[in-house]
Amino acid sequence: MREDIYNVLKSRIVNLEYKPNDCLTETAIAREFEVSRTPIREIFIHLACENLVTISPGNSIRIPDINIQGLQELISYRIILEKGAARLIGMNANEDDLAALYSLRKVIDRVEVEGSVDDLINCDTQFHQILRKATHNGLLDKNLESVHLQFTRIQKLIEHKPDRIIFHLDTIIESIRKKDLERIENCLVDHVYNFVGVIKRNFELL
């Protein structure tokens, strides 16, 4: 039950059902899900560790704003993690990971023709989920997921239609096949900077 509530709240935050700077209360959430405040408090602590909420003195709970300083730090941190992930993907990715990428490739072909912005964002999310798992490193997977959730919030906020997914996906598949660690790294970093350019234009950071 607690895991279900956590997933619902996380989805609401990432999908902007809760807007930046919205305030939440343990009492209201506990009442909604018909549970005591104790599991809700534990869930909010978990969400705070993922930077999806902030908890202030007095247990005031707020959805974080997306600010320039935090954004720059987030970008730098993600680049560092993606470079590490690229190395591990090159060394550890297996046939199951490649099969998952091939399956996603078929989905994206259809979504790019028929799908909505949200459908493409979901494909981008799956792309990163598969690659995180392909590192076969649980700690890195966990940290990257936390960062990716922040970027998904930004995608939803600016209604960005992800582009170059197929190009990067095809490059990743080929590079994993060849165990070309440097090319995997270049592809992942390029994928990040492609979106960073969109972010900067939307937040007028040029």
Side-chain angles (χ1 to χ4, degrees):
M1 179 66 174
R2 182 164 57 183
E3 187 70 18
D4 291 338
I5 297 172
Y6 161 77
N7 286 328
V8 169
L9 295 179
K10 181 172 73 172
S11 176
R12 289 177 182 177
I13 295 167
V14 172
N15 290 297
L16 301 183
E17 293 177 50
Y18 296 142
K19 306 296 184 186
N21 293 314
D22 277 358
C23 290
L24 308 176
T25 67
E26 292 176 3
T27 302
I29 299 298
R31 186 182 303 118
E32 176 185 354
F33 291 99
E34 300 180 341
V35 297
S36 71
R37 290 175 57 184
T38 299
I40 299 303
R41 184 177 301 114
E42 293 171 353
I43 289 168
F44 278 134
I45 290 171
H46 189 173
L47 291 169
C49 290
E50 296 179 315
N51 298 312
L52 291 174
V53 301
T54 58
I55 302 176
S56 304
N59 290 326
S60 173
I61 300 153
R62 185 175 61 83
I63 306 301
D65 194 8
I66 298 171
N67 59 71
I68 293 174
Q69 180 180 356
L71 188 57
Q72 299 286 20
E73 291 178 356
L74 187 65
I75 291 167
S76 298
Y77 183 49
R78 179 172 178 180
I79 292 297
I80 291 169
L81 291 180
E82 294 286 4
K83 287 183 176 182
R87 295 286 163 174
L88 289 177
I89 291 167
M91 293 186 291
N92 298 335
N94 56 35
E95 290 300 321
D96 288 339
D97 299 318
L98 282 168
L101 290 171
Y102 279 124
S103 294
L104 178 61
R105 180 66 166 81
K106 294 177 181 178
V107 172
I108 294 174
D109 278 339
R110 184 182 70 254
V111 168
E112 285 210 322
V113 175
E114 305 171 356
S116 65
V117 171
D118 279 345
D119 291 331
L120 278 169
I121 290 175
N122 289 337
C123 285
D124 190 56
T125 297
Q126 290 177 52
F127 172 65
H128 291 294
Q129 286 175 341
I130 294 168
L131 293 180
R132 289 199 309 268
K133 299 301 180 187
T135 66
H136 295 275
N137 184 299
L139 185 59
L140 182 57
D141 181 358
K142 182 179 179 180
N143 281 278
L144 263 176
E145 181 185 17
S146 178
V147 173
H148 288 158
L149 288 172
Q150 298 299 328
F151 275 82
T152 301
R153 284 183 73 216
I154 298 169
Q155 281 184 312
K156 297 281 186 175
L157 181 67
I158 65 179
E159 297 183 336
H160 168 61
K161 182 179 180 180
D163 55 4
R164 304 195 75 200
I165 300 178
I166 288 182
F167 170 78
H168 289 128
L169 180 53
D170 288 344
T171 303
I172 286 287
I173 290 172
E174 180 185 0
S175 302
I176 290 174
R177 284 284 186 204
K178 295 180 177 179
K179 293 193 176 297
D180 188 338
L181 276 61
E182 183 175 354
R183 194 176 183 204
I184 295 171
E185 178 180 318
N186 290 339
C187 181
L188 289 183
V189 171
D190 182 57
H191 188 75
V192 174
Y193 277 125
N194 184 58
F195 183 45
V196 166
V198 175
I199 294 172
K200 288 184 175 182
R201 289 191 292 274
N202 275 270
F203 285 86
E204 298 181 348
L205 298 177
L206 293 177

